[in-house]
Amino acid sequence: MKIGLGGITGNPVALGIAVAVLALLAFVPLLHNGYYENLFRGVLMFATLSLGWNIIGGYTGYVSFGNVVFFGLGAYTTAALWQHAQVQNIAIDVVVAIVVAALFAVILGFPILRLKGHYFGIATLGIALATEEIIENIDWLGGGSGFTIRQVDAFWTYYVAMWCVCAASMLATYLIARSKLGYALVAIRENEEAAAVLGVDATRYKIIAWAISGAMAAAAGAVYAGSNGFIDGPTAFGIDNNVFPIVMTILGGVGTVAGPVFGALILTAINETLWSHFPQIHTLFFGAVIVLVVLFLPRGILWLFGVRNGWRSIVGSFGQYRV
Amino acid sequence: MSAAVYLSVDDVGMRFGGLAALDGVSFAVERGAVVGLIGPNGSGKTTLMNVISGVYKPTGGSVTFAGKRIADVPTHRVCQLGIARTFQVVKPFANLSVRENVAVGAMYGREGTTRSTRAAFDHAQELLEVVGLARVAERPASDLTIPDRKRLEVAKALALDPEVLLLDEVMAGLNAVEVEEALALLRTVNERGVTLIVVEHLMKAIVSISTTIVVLAEGKKIAEGAPADVLASPQVIEAYLGTRYASRQAAKNAGAAP
Amino acid sequence: MELFAQDLVNGLLAGGIFAVVALGFSLVWGIMNIINLAHGAFVMLGAYTAFVLFSAWNVDPFVSVPIAFVVLFVLGYALQRFILNFVVRAPILTTFLLTFGLSLLIVNIVLLVFHGDIKGITTAYSGANFALGPVTVAWTKLFTLVAALLITALMQLFLTRTKTGRAIRATSMDIGAAQLSGVRVAHLYAIVFGLGAGLAGAAGALISLSYSLQPSMGDPFVISAFVVCVLGGLGSVSGALVGGLVYGVLEAFGSQYVGTGVQDAVALVVLLIVLIVRPTGIMGRAAA
């Protein structure tokens, strides 16, 4: 990422490509192909989740290992609204989900965001696990067997909804990165103490960042639940939705606008290939992918855009953290 | 410009567990002054800087500025009062460009809260010219040399539009030429109306720039006044060079008196 | 009242395992600042080692404990020496993800080899228990606790009385000074990670009698290890022991009075309270 050229939004060329990709994806419903609709809905969903994680993990530097909790809350919001309030409107689902997520982030943010580094990571993981457990124990929310939601609209409606959520998330990330808020977050990430001395109210901005990241994830979850027709604990709070966004953001480029989108695209492509050719060991391969990405591409693919000797630099930087 | 008490350090004490890093330190800073804060290693200079800038809350006494006690203000609001500081161990935002580093302060400092992002960057550029970093504005902060990093620290602090600037060993690690440049910069800043409190080990530098000098030893203030007087004071000599040297010196002076 | 006593005893008995698992986790975290998300997988491997030895050669699980320790030690040493040492000083995200990826790899390899069906070990004495007043104590659980205490004591001796143990402690305090004193840090780190893995493996072998085996069985142990480390403080063997016992008891009571499905929630609440009220833990120092 060439410093100064795109500021903290990232390389403008990459950004342009990401926007183009997004625009292209808008036309998928016209293909009338169920497989592609499902596949790219997944891409859009993971792109949104990654963009969300990117706000708190990438820009603010608070590595959350439990952002799936927001996705789950969003999914259950749709389910609960459908089941108990007979609401079948995707837009309402999304709005309520966002509110729920934001409240959750604000309330829990005060104690949790005071923790640093490892502690924050595990605390968020714990929150995700605990919330899943608690929800599974509440019958009003489906208990252990989950909810079935009768799909009211055609699938392509959900696709469009997911596209809108993704586009909105990308736009939000872009606006934030260009704004004072964006710089506050990055300052917190780079050096929280120095940021405080420069006038940045870290607590306030961290909570805002977490709330925004949660809102994105919840919106994705709300749409997903409707399109999937069924949710339960593992579906909503599953480990895939937790870890994939992190790996995708890293692969694509942390702390940029386009990075999460690229990461989602690439990793979904890899995932699909693995699923179709090696269904048995697909998760195993994924573990290997994670290990390789972390070892060799810790700054993500976008990093290559700004670096002249791409491959050589990867090899050269490998081992910079070794003992 | 009134010469009334502007920033006041009143009986400040700072204990860490059983250790008293500061004990009953009091002095007043006049507007527009350059106060040199000196003392042997471990005398509490950086601790005092931390108290004045609100990073530490003193366990005893208080620091008052603009009618407010600093300890009552949360750390991130201290710059709104008008106090800014640099750190001895520089804290740049490594992955941001030099200009972006300064812009952050310009966005959140005293006048920063009303500035737009664009205006903050313009202000940052201005300050880069003042400190002499305009040529590296686009580079990542992690690329800078040590003297440039120190300049960046000063620029970031200036971005807060401070009335009082605390400088913690800004000249450490600089060679003679760089020290001169640093002094020139500080004089420029002071002429722009900023009151300075400077912690330094380099005697010549401090003497050449300060209007008043405060000496700390073992957490207590042992002298305060004009540079020449303070440096000739026997307690100060004793604190730096030891009791035997001081008494030898005193004997020499007594013997030399006509 | 009887129920209370029963829960207390069960909690203490289980606590020994949590202590051993947490000790391994604490060593790696305290000395190398690595939070090993694959630690649970190591426990699982230890259990499966015992299972294999039992099914193939009828080896009693308690005898498998030292074997599992050695097997996991070797694995851990290799992992650290050839993979983790390259990212030891990297930001936490890197080590988090790396150990997570390793965990995925390990669990899925086991899944491939052993399939996901639940297995178990039953020995002649599996169901035997005795009465201690109003409370029933299972022999296996008691032996497990004794073994756990023994392991903890041995670890303490190792860290304080042997040359390697002292080198480990020195490195954790000041890596630069340790290197200057001739400590080969890369090798030492690998030993530490090996010890951590070995302890997890030993714990796994111990629990193979009381828990059912499946590839994902190790997952809850990472969270519990983390909570115990926070409770007991890092870098303290006694802290891990006390923390483990306390955690075991809390879990037992939590299951009884709040409900069995919410262990993680209970653990989390405990964790949060401790982190906010007393970040240095009950006995040791806090992590950096």
Side-chain angles (χ1 to χ4, degrees), chain C residues 142-262:
Chain C
L142 186 61
F143 284 155
T144 305
L145 178 62
V146 170
L149 290 173
L150 198 62
I151 294 175
T152 318
L154 284 173
M155 216 42 226
Q156 174 73 343
L157 278 176
F158 173 78
L159 284 174
T160 45
R161 298 288 170 87
T162 67
K163 199 166 116 176
T164 317
R166 281 196 283 258
I168 290 175
R169 281 158 59 226
T171 314
S172 79
M173 292 183 218
D174 189 327
I175 177 173
Q179 277 176 309
L180 286 175
S181 310
V183 173
R184 287 178 301 149
V185 177
H187 169 64
L188 202 73
Y189 275 5
I191 290 190
V192 172
F193 197 80
L195 284 175
L199 284 167
L206 278 176
I207 65 174
S208 62
L209 273 173
S210 346
Y211 284 52
S212 44
L213 274 64
Q214 50 182 331
S216 60
M217 67 187 285
D219 290 351
F221 284 103
V222 176
I223 295 276
S224 74
F226 189 86
V227 177
V228 171
C229 284
V230 171
L231 271 180
L234 276 193
S236 160
V237 173
S238 44
L241 188 56
V242 170
L245 292 173
V246 170
Y247 185 84
V249 171
L250 281 175
E251 236 218 5
F253 283 133
S255 282
Q256 183 70 259
Y257 297 114
V258 182
T260 40
V262 288

Side-chain angles (χ1 to χ4, degrees), chain A residues 3 7 180 183 190 193 196 201, chain B residues 91 94-95 100 108 112 115:
Chain A
I3 305 275
K180 287 162 81 167
Y183 279 100
E190 294 293 313
E193 225 192 2
D201 184 350
Chain B
K91 295 169 186 267
N95 287 307
E100 284 170 331
Y108 284 99
R115 272 200 194 102

Side-chain angles (χ1 to χ4, degrees), chain A residues 3-5 7-8 178-181 183-184 186-187 189-191 193-201 205 299, chain B residues 55 75-76 79 85 87 91 93-97 100 104-105 107-109 112-113 115 117 121 138 140 156 160:
Chain A
I3 305 275
L5 193 56
I8 58 177
R178 280 174 62 94
S179 75
K180 287 162 81 167
L181 173 62
Y183 279 100
V186 180
R189 175 189 78 200
E190 294 293 313
N191 194 317
E193 225 192 2
V197 171
L198 288 177
V200 174
D201 184 350
Y205 290 118
R299 308 269 279 282
Chain B
V55 174
T75 312
H76 68 270
C79 59
R85 67 165 296 173
F87 285 91
K91 295 169 186 267
F93 299 132
N95 287 307
L96 292 184
S97 73
E100 284 170 331
V104 173
M107 287 178 204
Y108 284 99
T113 41
R115 272 200 194 102
T117 321
F121 273 93
E138 295 276 327
K156 283 166 73 175
L160 296 169

Side-chain angles (χ1 to χ4, degrees), chain A residues 53 63 65 111-112 114-115 117-119 121-123 125-127 129-130 133-134 137 239 243 246-247 250 280-281 283-284 286-288 290-291 294-295 318-323, chain C residues 29 33 35 37 83 85-94 96-98 100-102 104-105 108-109 112 175 185-186 189 223 226 230 261-265 268 272 275-276 287:
Chain A
W53 186 86
V63 174
F65 236 60
I112 302 283
R114 282 166 40 169
L115 306 171
H118 286 141
Y119 291 107
I122 297 255
L125 179 61
I127 287 180
L129 292 172
E133 269 184 1
I134 293 177
N137 274 290
I239 227 175
V243 180
I246 302 180
V247 182
I250 291 196
Q280 290 283 61
I281 48 180
T283 320
L284 191 145
F286 218 86
I290 293 180
V291 171
V294 167
L295 282 178
F318 174 74
Q320 64 178 303
Y321 294 119
R322 68 176 300 179
V323 90
Chain C
W29 182 6
N33 208 26
I35 293 228
L37 293 178
I83 300 185
N85 260 348
F86 288 99
V87 294
V88 164
R89 294 181 301 130
I92 29 152
L93 182 57
T94 312
F96 252 32
L97 278 181
L98 191 55
F100 178 79
L102 286 173
L104 269 188
L105 274 175
N108 278 282
I109 291 177
L112 262 182
I175 177 173
V185 177
Y189 275 5
I223 295 276
F226 189 86
V230 171
V262 288
Q263 274 122 306
D264 284 331
L268 179 72
L272 284 184
L275 278 177
I276 291 172

Side-chain angles (χ1 to χ4, degrees), chain B residues 242-258:
Chain B
T243 328
R244 276 178 34 205
Y245 182 89
S247 39
R248 247 187 280 144
Q249 199 67 2
K252 222 167 52 169
N253 290 341

Side-chain angles (χ1 to χ4, degrees), chain B residues 3 17 24 29 32-33 47 53-54 63 84 91 96 118-119 123 127 151 157-158 174 188 193 214 229 233 236 241 256:
Chain B
V29 176
T47 310
S53 62
V63 179
K91 295 169 186 267
L96 292 184
R118 168 96 284 145
H123 187 64
L127 288 171
R151 287 201 178 90
L158 287 177
L174 299 185
T188 313
V214 171
D229 301 331
S233 138
V236 174
L241 297 170

